[in-house]
Amino acid sequence: MTSQYVTFGLVPAMRAGGVLADGAYQAHRDFLDFAVDGSPLLVRLADLDAVSPLALDLGPSDFAEQVRTLLPEAETPLEGSRRVIYGCPECAGLAFGGYACGAVTAVIERDGPDVVWRDFGRQTGRTPDAERDGYHDIGPYRFRGEEYRAALERLLPADGAPAPELPAGPRALLIGPRAALLARLAAALRRIGISAEITLDAVHAHADELRKYGVVVFGRTIGPDKRDAVLGALAAARSEAVCVTVLAPIVPLLVAQVEQALDRTPDHYRRLLRLTAVAGGAEAEVEVASACRVRLVAHRLDRLSRPRTRALFDTVLAPGTHRIPLETRAVRGRSFLTAHTSEAVLVAPVAR
């Protein structure tokens, strides 16, 4: 067993939601990822779309139960001291005893004063097939017990005290008339787990309320004067919301804009770095910092102003800059591209 120590910590992470090209919805999830020697562990799993059991939308008792399972104190339904490290973002997966989607698990055990994570693998039943489904290039990790327990125990309520306050869920403020486009956008955002409200007057909103929003979306009818007034109100409220303007009346594209604005991942943790597209050259450039699965989607309005969304590309990319040929029919006219990884979205207009 490993005798070399690595550090343990927790970092905020996001599983980006969205409206897929086939019209299906993908849930937005905020969670805490495990940082091993300062790097998020999920980043080392290039093709995994998952969240840790420390999902911030869990109820307080369920969240505390997951913390105690990782300590490890609570019982686990799995055999061999295995605990869930990552589960399906659309359901609870193994975190709550289900096996339909599977999960990444590891043996978490005490070794004297230390805590060791070892034998990582993907699991769809009570016992994993280590040879077939093991992550042989990950772990084992030895953590100093005091550091490990301190990182997790600060998420639990102290005796007689209320539970620590975790970051609030994502909220978007849509500014403009409650017309069809903003109403459809609000419905789509709520469907994937992002709270959304529509208003014509954010200028006179209370500062405490404005600070609750992570993103503010300006509808197409909002003129410069009204936009400036809202920006002034946000500044006066010391809001950290990112402001975006509707690019085109295409709901999946607007949801991608909101997801990009909500992403607060530090630059040194990002995998998806850059997206550019040129229709004349019929290609896109995608830059990634480490191996990850990337989906590329084209959005445009046809000659009758009907929205069109088309999936173009979906594969694991190695670190570096990649030139991806585009289907000319998919990016004709005024069009946009979105690049998606499990944790991030980038939006780019297609330059003519």
Side-chain angles (χ1 to χ4, degrees):
M1 185 176 293
T2 180
S3 59
Q4 184 176 356
Y5 285 104
V6 293
T7 63
F8 179 86
L10 299 168
V11 294
M14 179 182 87
R15 190 272 189 146
V19 183
L20 305 182
D22 62 1
Y25 290 86
Q26 179 172 284
H28 175 106
R29 303 290 299 276
D30 291 303
F31 62 100
L32 298 176
D33 197 6
F34 312 110
V36 177
D37 270 351
S39 297
L41 182 58
L42 189 56
V43 170
R44 307 184 191 192
L45 304 171
D47 196 20
L48 186 66
D49 180 15
V51 299
S52 83
L54 303 179
L56 301 184
D57 53 357
L58 293 178
S61 59
D62 287 334
F63 186 88
E65 182 69 12
Q66 297 307 316
V67 173
R68 294 188 178 97
T69 299
L70 292 166
L71 273 169
E73 294 176 354
E75 293 295 323
T76 171
L78 308 179
E79 296 179 353
S81 299
R82 301 194 71 84
R83 315 273 166 159
V84 171
I85 304 301
Y86 296 108
C88 172
E90 298 293 337
C91 65
L94 284 174
F96 298 103
Y99 296 94
C101 299
V104 175
T105 67
V107 174
I108 299 180
E109 60 186 5
R110 294 189 179 94
D111 185 22
D114 303 331
V115 175
V116 175
W117 286 20
R118 61 176 176 85
D119 300 340
F120 290 78
R122 183 162 181 82
Q123 187 166 348
T124 55
R126 294 190 64 84
T127 305
D129 185 324
E131 185 63 31
R132 183 190 64 193
D133 299 324
Y135 289 99
H136 305 293
D137 58 341
I138 296 180
Y141 301 126
R142 177 177 293 273
F143 307 110
R144 289 181 171 84
E146 183 177 350
E147 175 188 67
Y148 180 88
R149 286 186 288 274
L152 289 167
E153 287 175 349
R154 67 170 58 103
L155 303 175
L156 296 173
D159 292 340
E165 185 174 348
L166 298 172
R171 293 183 66 183
L173 181 62
L174 316 183
I175 300 179
R178 193 176 293 272
L181 178 62
L182 290 189
R184 293 201 308 272
L185 174 58
L189 292 173
R190 293 170 190 145
R191 179 77 179 269
I192 67 173
I194 298 174
S195 297
E197 290 84 39
I198 304 173
T199 185
L200 275 172
D201 182 20
V203 174
H204 298 100
H206 194 278
D208 289 343
E209 183 65 21
L210 290 178
R211 284 193 292 269
K212 294 178 181 178
Y213 295 100
V215 58
V216 173
V217 179
F218 291 100
R220 305 175 78 201
T221 62
I222 301 301
D225 291 345
K226 189 164 189 177
R227 179 186 173 95
D228 289 345
V230 173
L231 292 175
L234 292 170
R238 298 182 181 178
S239 167
E240 297 181 355
V242 176
C243 297
V244 299
T245 300
V246 166
L247 288 175
I250 305 172
V251 170
L253 174 66
L254 303 184
V255 172
Q257 283 188 264
V258 170
E259 285 287 2
Q260 180 175 340
L262 286 171
D263 190 356
R264 302 293 197 272
T265 305
D267 289 345
H268 58 283
Y269 289 160
R270 293 181 184 272
R271 291 197 284 186
L272 183 60
L273 301 179
R274 184 173 59 89
L275 169 67
T276 58
V278 179
E283 65 179 15
E285 279 195 2
V286 178
E287 183 180 359
V288 296
S290 61
C292 58
R293 177 170 290 277
V294 176
R295 290 187 294 111
L296 199 62
V297 181
H299 308 269
R300 68 181 181 90
L301 295 174
D302 67 15
R303 285 179 290 183
L304 297 177
S305 296
R306 294 173 299 191
R308 294 287 185 250
T309 296
R310 185 181 181 89
L312 301 177
F313 179 84
D314 184 355
T315 194
V316 175
L317 296 179
T321 300
H322 301 264
R323 291 178 175 270
I324 301 170
L326 300 177
E327 298 178 30
T328 304
R329 293 174 56 188
V331 294
R332 61 188 174 187
R334 187 164 179 254
S335 54
F336 305 85
L337 288 185
T338 55
H340 306 252
T341 65
S342 61
E343 77 278 6
V345 180
L346 290 182
V347 178
V350 179
R352 309 314 302 174

